[in-house]
Amino acid sequence: MSSSRRLFFALSLPDALQQQVIRWRAEAFKPEDGRPVAAANLHLTLAFLGEVSAQKEQALKTQAGRIAQTGFSLNLDDLGHWPRPGVVWLGSKRPPRALLQLAELLRSQAARSGCYQSPLPFHPHITLLRAATQPVAIPPGTPGWPFNANHFSLYQSSFEQGRTRYHELAQWPLGPQDKS
Ligand code: 2AM
């Protein structure tokens, strides 16, 4: 019996921010623009791992636990549309260096453990709409929400009763932010 699970490392959004984003999204987009991602599923992927065996999952967790990285603040002030995967996303015009370093570490650990990593450059984003394959009128800006990341998590992605669900399996703290 296979015990592999579909996993990814990500930053979760605090509940209050999830609610702000979905209220704004309801005003900013039309129903035909795409399928809204459920509030609880909003996240920023750091490294996608694919189908991972229990043994490899344990090794990835051990490596993630060794990461010593400071927390960071990012401003969610950028929006875009990738028509080919059909994604409308929320991102940051100037992603902090600590975010890029954290993703780079997790992605290189994943690659060393044999998890395929896309050669495309990492573009930190939160998917807002899926199945957005037709042209979408992207609003000129976002309210520019600030977002403090003080931990990162390992998630399992599963498809249950016709819906994608993400279960948090583990989380690790990020160190105090450098205020200098
Ligand atoms: P997306 O939001 O841009 O689709 C869980 O599927 C998360 O992993 C999603 O945030 C998804 O990004 C990301 N991801 C990255 N590479 C993926 C892949 N090859 N297949 C599915 N999801 C992937």
Side-chain angles (χ1 to χ4, degrees):
M1 194 186 85
S2 160
S3 61
S4 72
R5 315 205 263 190
R6 188 177 174 85
L7 305 180
F8 61 99
F9 286 108
L11 301 174
S12 56
L13 264 61
D15 291 354
L17 181 55
Q18 287 177 0
Q19 294 307 316
Q20 281 178 310
V21 170
I22 64 161
R23 277 199 297 271
W24 166 84
R25 180 180 63 187
E27 300 289 322
F29 296 98
K30 301 192 292 294
E32 59 272 28
D33 285 339
R35 193 176 69 246
V37 172
N41 281 358
L42 293 172
H43 66 275
L44 188 156
T45 297
L46 297 164
F48 180 72
L49 304 170
E51 294 291 327
V52 173
S53 68
Q55 192 183 11
K56 201 180 276 186
E57 177 182 331
Q58 193 48 52
L60 287 160
K61 282 179 175 162
T62 303
Q63 290 168 23
R66 293 197 190 116
I67 290 178
Q69 173 83 50
T70 55
F72 47 86
S73 175
L74 74 156
N75 197 18
L76 298 173
D77 59 356
D78 200 14
L79 274 178
H81 179 212
W82 294 328
R84 220 151 71 94
V87 162
V88 170
W89 52 265
L90 175 63
S92 182
K93 289 191 173 120
R94 295 195 307 144
R97 180 188 278 274
L99 163 61
L100 302 178
Q101 282 172 346
L102 176 61
E104 175 56 33
L105 261 173
L106 289 167
R107 288 156 67 93
S108 49
Q109 287 179 346
R112 280 201 301 277
S113 293
C115 301
Y116 171 79
Q117 295 300 293
S118 164
L120 295 174
F122 174 62
H123 186 290
H125 67 279
I126 295 161
T127 296
L128 294 177
L129 303 177
R130 295 199 183 276
T133 49
Q134 300 302 311
V136 175
I138 294 292
T142 78
W145 300 281
F147 166 36
N148 274 314
N150 53 23
H151 68 275
F152 67 97
S153 306
L154 179 68
Y155 285 92
Q156 177 184 9
S157 168
S158 54
F159 197 67
E160 294 164 18
Q161 293 157 352
R163 294 164 72 172
T164 298
R165 289 175 195 274
Y166 301 136
H167 303 280
E168 190 185 53
L169 300 175
Q171 66 167 251
W172 296 269
L174 293 165
Q177 286 187 39
D178 184 1
K179 301 280 182 205
S180 61

